[in-house]
Amino acid sequence: MARRCTVCTHTEREAIEAALLAGEPLRDIAGQRGVSKSALQRHQMEHIPAALAKAQEAQEAAHAIDLVKQLREVDATALSILAEARQGHDPDLALRAMDRIHKQLELQAKLLGQLDERPQVNILVSPEWIAIRTTLLTALAPYTEARVAVARALLQLEAGDGRGG
Ligand SMILES: [Zn+2]
């Protein structure tokens, strides 16, 4: 039963919302904008919170993207310092740059872990892994002992996947 909200579809929606948020009497807004008081009430109770939540989400996403951008810039700087240090044979500076990059990577991994909520891909069922596994065992075919050892190790690895860790 989706009834069209006369405020949502109003050409002066923004002005109406500004007035609502400013606490102007519904009667006044209704009179000025040609909408009913009940429509204003419903819009205020149901549609403004949703719109605000959406705006906040968008802001948070923008903030996250901004963070990633900043991190990339720091990365680029650290990498160019490292390159310069290596060219100039300055091991101290190179080490410091590498340390910086290392910390960056850690921070990024953490941030991305927080941002990325997609389910983790299980590498052991990926076509790439199956291809690698097959290639390995095929290549080891002439070396029975090695092949058995590798196959056993792989089975152990695969069986262990998902059990704690
Ligand atoms: Zn509405």
Side-chain angles (χ1 to χ4, degrees), residues 149-164:
V150 168
R152 198 172 286 154
L154 289 177
L155 281 176
Q156 255 171 27
L157 178 76
E158 288 169 2
D161 180 69
R163 271 202 238 137

Side-chain angles (χ1 to χ4, degrees), residues 9-58:
T9 54
H10 203 285
T11 50
E12 289 165 297
R13 177 182 172 169
E14 277 176 35
I16 295 173
E17 286 180 341
L20 283 172
L21 291 172
E24 282 180 31
L26 295 183
R27 186 163 27 89
D28 291 0
I29 306 171
Q32 284 161 15
R33 311 289 175 183
V35 289
S36 70
K37 250 175 77 177
S38 63
L40 284 173
Q41 233 157 11
R42 194 176 56 241
H43 182 79
Q44 188 170 33
M45 298 302 292
E46 294 171 15
H47 301 159
I48 287 186
L52 285 177
K54 219 183 232 172
Q56 199 183 9
E57 247 172 55

Side-chain angles (χ1 to χ4, degrees), residues 20 122 127 143:
L20 283 172
N122 184 351
Y143 317 98

Side-chain angles (χ1 to χ4, degrees), residues 63-138:
H63 183 63
I65 289 166
D66 204 48
L67 270 179
V68 170
K69 217 161 82 186
Q70 281 171 17
L71 285 172
R72 292 232 170 93
E73 274 163 26
V74 175
D75 279 359
T77 311
L79 284 171
S80 70
I81 290 172
L82 178 60
E84 276 169 32
R86 290 173 79 175
Q87 273 167 13
H89 302 288
D90 184 343
D92 276 357
L93 185 60
L95 275 176
R96 282 209 302 275
M98 274 164 73
D99 191 48
R100 177 75 238 166
I101 292 165
H102 182 76
K103 287 206 178 90
Q104 269 313 107
L105 289 175
E106 271 181 2
L107 178 61
Q108 276 166 13
K110 266 188 217 158
L111 278 174
L112 290 174
Q114 282 166 8
L115 292 177
D116 191 354
E117 284 168 4
R118 282 173 303 180
Q120 294 296 304
V121 174
N122 184 351
I123 186 186
L124 297 179
V125 297
S126 74
E128 288 85 358
W129 167 248
I130 291 164
I132 292 168
R133 194 184 194 288
T134 309
T135 308
L136 251 179
L137 293 177
T138 308

